[in-house]
Amino acid sequence: MRFSPIPRTAAGRDALVLAVVGIGLWMLIVFLNINDVWDGLLSHQNLLELDELFDVAAFTGILGFIYAYRRLRDLRLEMQKRSQVESEKEWLANHDPLTLLPNRRALETLTSQGVNSQSDKRYVIYAIDLDGFKGVNDLIGHQGGDLLLRAVADRLQQGLPDSTVYRLGGDEFLVIAERQEGVDAGQAGLQLLKRISAPYDIGGMTAEIGASIGFALYPEDGNDLDDAAHCADVAMYVAKRSGRNHVYGFERIMEDQVLRRAETELALKNAIREGLIKPYYQPLIDLRSGRLRGFEALARWQTGPNNYVPPGDFIELAEAAGLIGELSDSLLRQACRDAARWPEALLLAFNISPTQLLDRGFVEKTCALLQETGFPPKRLELEITETALVRDTETVIAILTELQNRGVRIALDDFGTGYSSLSQLSKFQFDKLKIDQSFIAGVMSDKKQEDIVRAIMHLGKGLGIVTTAEGIERNQQLEFMKDLGCDIGQGYLFGKAMPADQTLDLIASFSKTEMQRKIAG
Ligand code: C2E
Ligand code: MG
Ligand code: MG
């Protein structure tokens, strides 16, 4: 460092100037002999002795010094206070007050600074979104939800060594961890998931949640931490869309998927708002009498004059995008209005997504809709698949029971395709059991399928539940199911799903048709 005679600080420069001025004045006083002039003047005026004047000056100087010292001390305290307030403000701006974790702003500051390019540190970034937090929050209340979020934050902080956990908002977290030699990032992600999913004790209540986790590696997946965090987020998005409790590592192809999905999601949202998704109706036939028993409403998204997207391509998307409630409400409202024009004996069967049954307000919403459209609850049959009963069984059963108490029938759809079909039957008294079309398809050609269908029919009869065979396409299948005593038939043999106005034509012509004679035998 080079020596400079001029001090760097303002205080130093002030002191230097004052010293130079002081020495100059003193030299002037000595040179001009001002003391004697003063002395003469004072003694001539008979005012003060010179030594007394010095006393006054010294005393004033000391008082001035004390005053300056006290002012300086006040100033220092004020500055300390200000810097404390500043740092508290800074802390609050960079932290989440609930979990005390650094927040999104802190993450942005970190990522904008960039990783020191000299450093050879390697990181893994986990983007975490809790699954089912909203449901638990509704169940245990907001205070309970806050406690749960704090508990999750604690578990995440203890999850990985050399890591920082951020809460990005709501139920979203991000973990940046230094990569450890020999530790697989995917396995570590699964461990994090296991930690999060273990039960929580919230004020004596047990709560369980899951998580969707996406992870990305730095420097492999991103040039900087910001880039890598974005990749982790993309992977998390894909994990979330694939269902609950998945851990996905980032792959380049995911970016395209996310983009396409976002476009479809937007198109779906617009289609729902513009009423482009409408219920079509497939006839349900009484296999004993050959009479029409009602119709099942099946959603169709019209994208062009003769172009329809089947529900298999958008129901899941609507569920994942949180649009299923809105879509289902608009379909059910329309279906009730259409069905109100049918003869009173005809039922309306309507499909419900599992996620809708996690909403405790579902019963009230459905009943309000029935009242609004004037459609009687006893003519409505809601179809649920067994996945609805796998999650949060107690809540779902409470909702289904309440619906049944109000007169709505509940059918178990696609029976036999899930992994716990039988156990579902012991949990709830269904009004109807719909044998999945995959069994009916193989019933004439595959002895095993035939045996399974026989067994299901036996089960339904034993439990006193009405049975429906889905996907009847051929006469042999119809005859076989009739012989087994199946109650209701549905399939292309009787008719595909049709627009509302065609149902009226079908109803009018049905009793005169060949079909009825043939079925009734
Ligand atoms: P699902 O409730 O089991 O409906 C029966 C499906 O089988 C319908 O397919 C129907 O067109 C088809 N199908 C009926 N008869 C035959 C047949 O003889 N042969 C063959 N190969 N297929 C037949 P779709 O309309 O594509 O619906 C698929 C699934 O989408 C439905 O299965 C249901 O789970 C779901 N879905 C449809 N509409 C809605 C809705 O409004 N809300 C919800 N949440 N789900 C819906
Ligand atoms: Mg169905
Ligand atoms: Mg089905």
Side-chain angles (χ1 to χ4, degrees), residues 296 298 351 383 385 412-415 417 434-437 470-471 490:
E296 176 176 3
L298 295 163
N351 294 283
E383 298 190 0
T385 53
L412 183 55
D413 204 352
D414 303 344
F415 185 79
T417 51
K434 297 187 77 173
I435 307 169
D436 191 69
Q437 53 178 282
E470 294 184 316
Q490 176 180 4

Side-chain angles (χ1 to χ4, degrees), residues 282 296-300 310-312 315 319 324 327-328 331 350-354 356 383 385 413-414 434 436-437 470-473 490-493 495-497:
Q282 187 176 31
E296 176 176 3
L298 295 163
R300 296 287 181 268
I315 291 290
E319 284 174 2
I324 192 67
L327 171 61
S328 193
L331 286 168
F350 190 85
N351 294 283
I352 291 296
S353 287
Q356 292 179 267
E383 298 190 0
T385 53
D413 204 352
D414 303 344
K434 297 187 77 173
D436 191 69
Q437 53 178 282
E470 294 184 316
I472 297 182
E473 293 183 358
Q490 176 180 4
Y492 294 167
L493 183 67
K496 290 190 174 181

Side-chain angles (χ1 to χ4, degrees), residues 151-173:
V152 172
D154 285 347
R155 287 190 191 180
L156 286 175
Q157 279 180 304
Q158 290 153 20
L160 295 170
D162 298 321
S163 64
T164 312
V165 183
Y166 296 81
R167 181 178 176 215
L168 303 185
D171 57 359
E172 253 184 89
F173 296 86

Side-chain angles (χ1 to χ4, degrees), residues 110-124:
L110 173 89
T111 52
S112 64
Q113 283 163 354
V115 184
N116 181 358
S117 55
Q118 307 293 307
S119 141
D120 56 358
K121 281 196 180 141
R122 298 175 331 135
Y123 295 92
V124 51

